[in-house]
Amino acid sequence: MVVDRIGELANGVHMLGHRAVPVYLVDGDRPALFDAGLSFLGPVYARQIRRVLGDRQPAWCFLTHSHFDHCGAAAYLKAQFPKMQMVCSEKAARIFDRPNAISLIFNLNQIAAGMAVDFGVDPGDTTFESFSVDATAKEGDCFEISPGLTVRAMETPGHTWDFLTYTIPQLKLLVASEALGTPDETGYIVTDCLVDYDVHYQSMQRLRTLDIETLCLGHVYSCTGSDARRHVAESLAQSRRFRNMVERFLEAENGHIPAVMKQVKAVEWDGKSGLRQPEPAYVLNLEARINTIVRKWQASREHQEPDKQLRTSHDRT
């Protein structure tokens, strides 16, 4: 099933906040929260967490990566739930220690607050604040929720270099966020290879080997059952299609990136309705995504050019 509304995804697994920027809660003796969304949604997340847990507090908040829309309410949630420990990768923890990164996250959350009215939320004064990381995680690290129920960290870079995916094998649950493709409301899947295309693809290949029944994505939808497994497979297929499309446009436009961006944007963003990234954010990410393929395309052309010259030389002799 493809889930497009806030609520319980599976027994004890909840999608909270707003489906455009959800956080996930897995109940247990030591409940686990995954990601911290946008700052202006902090009160919404906290209210819905209390609706599920009552007087109990989350024991953990596992951040997938350091992007502003996945850590924006971290400080607010820590203030609301003082016993909660914030966990992320070592790379993300170093980013959260940088004043310039904190300033950028603050500014992007301020801009995002302009969407509050569309979300039906009063933004109030819940601006982003810096926060402390209580523990870092690396590949294979495990954290207990209940006896026999553990969160396992996987290093899955490609969207960012600091990316962690989390699994709960006993529940066949995968919190992938943007380590997999992000669907829009037309069913098109955006390939989120912001830092390295090949690395992102390899991370998705690793995730395809997992036995999953519940898939928690970063935006818009989550999936259960066969749709969860289908989305993993389709993310890989769409990644290949995206690369082929960009390379085709690069050839047609002789490597002129603005022209390529315009053509890809016409496919992915222009004229679409429903939930989607604000245009400035989409364009910024699109350029990064295309550049990961440009590097491969240029290297391929440079490799082919000597072969072409050699063939031409042989033709002349």
Side-chain angles (χ1 to χ4, degrees):
M1 179 170 62
V2 177
V3 182
D4 64 353
R5 59 177 58 87
I6 295 304
E8 192 170 32
L9 298 174
N11 186 28
V13 181
H14 305 264
M15 183 165 72
L16 305 179
H18 191 286
R19 70 187 184 98
V21 195
V23 302
Y24 297 92
L25 176 67
V26 179
D27 201 356
D29 294 345
R30 307 189 71 203
L33 191 66
F34 295 89
D35 275 339
L38 289 169
S39 60
F40 78 82
L41 285 170
V44 179
Y45 300 138
R47 183 168 62 251
Q48 294 181 8
I49 291 167
R50 289 193 174 98
R51 191 175 299 158
V52 175
L53 298 182
D55 293 334
R56 295 178 297 137
Q57 294 192 23
W60 312 99
C61 180
F62 297 99
L63 300 181
T64 56
H65 60 300
S66 58
H67 279 174
F68 78 100
D69 53 342
H70 294 266
C71 67
Y76 180 88
L77 292 173
K78 287 197 72 167
Q80 293 293 309
F81 307 110
K83 296 180 181 179
M84 184 176 70
Q85 295 188 64
M86 196 67 62
V87 183
C88 65
S89 68
E90 292 182 5
K91 288 184 176 71
R94 289 196 294 269
I95 291 170
F96 294 136
D97 274 340
R98 298 174 189 166
N100 61 334
I102 293 299
S103 177
L104 177 61
I105 294 169
F106 173 88
N107 290 335
L108 291 173
N109 270 280
Q110 289 291 94
I111 294 170
M115 299 186 294
V117 173
D118 293 336
F119 285 13
V121 175
D122 179 0
D125 59 355
T126 50
T127 56
F128 173 80
E129 297 179 10
S130 61
F131 60 94
S132 60
V133 172
D134 300 294
T136 58
K138 62 183 183 302
E139 176 74 28
D141 283 350
C142 293
F143 302 81
E144 187 177 86
I145 297 178
S146 294
L149 198 63
T150 56
V151 174
R152 181 185 176 98
M154 296 177 64
E155 295 176 2
T156 52
H159 179 65
T160 64
W161 291 119
D162 61 6
F163 209 101
L164 289 179
T165 290
Y166 300 98
T167 68
I168 303 180
Q170 301 88 347
L171 298 180
K172 297 185 178 181
L173 180 142
L174 172 62
V175 181
S177 187
E178 289 151 305
L180 292 171
T182 301
D184 67 20
E185 292 194 286
T186 70
Y188 180 88
I189 296 175
V190 175
T191 299
D192 278 319
C193 53
L194 295 186
V195 295
D196 191 291
Y197 176 86
D198 285 340
V199 171
H200 187 255
Y201 191 85
Q202 290 160 9
S203 291
M204 289 194 290
Q205 285 181 311
R206 287 191 67 202
L207 298 180
R208 192 177 187 180
T209 67
L210 301 176
D211 182 13
I212 63 170
E213 287 291 334
T214 304
L215 173 61
C216 301
L217 297 172
H219 302 283
V220 185
Y221 297 115
S222 286
C223 307
T224 62
S226 61
D227 284 312
R229 296 182 289 276
R230 186 178 299 113
H231 183 80
V232 181
E234 187 58 24
S235 290
L236 282 160
Q238 174 58 24
S239 178
R240 294 189 294 269
R241 289 192 290 266
F242 177 72
R243 175 184 169 182
N244 291 337
M245 175 177 67
V246 171
E247 289 180 341
R248 187 170 68 252
F249 290 155
L250 285 166
E251 291 289 345
E253 301 294 345
N254 198 28
H256 185 58
I257 292 176
V260 174
M261 289 177 61
K262 184 177 180 180
Q263 292 202 53
V264 176
K265 183 171 176 284
V267 172
E268 291 189 337
W269 197 90
D270 292 345
K272 291 191 175 182
S273 58
L275 293 175
R276 58 179 180 170
Q277 278 184 303
E279 186 171 9
Y282 169 79
V283 170
L284 185 66
N285 282 355
L286 175 60
E287 184 172 15
R289 293 160 57 215
I290 287 175
N291 279 333
T292 68
I293 295 171
V294 167
R295 292 192 289 270
K296 293 175 62 61
W297 176 75
Q298 289 175 333
S300 176
R301 290 190 65 170
E302 289 168 1
H303 177 74
Q304 291 172 1
E305 190 61 30
D307 291 343
K308 180 179 178 181
Q309 292 175 356
L310 183 61
R311 288 195 301 272
T312 303
S313 175
H314 283 309
D315 290 342
R316 290 172 180 167
T317 56

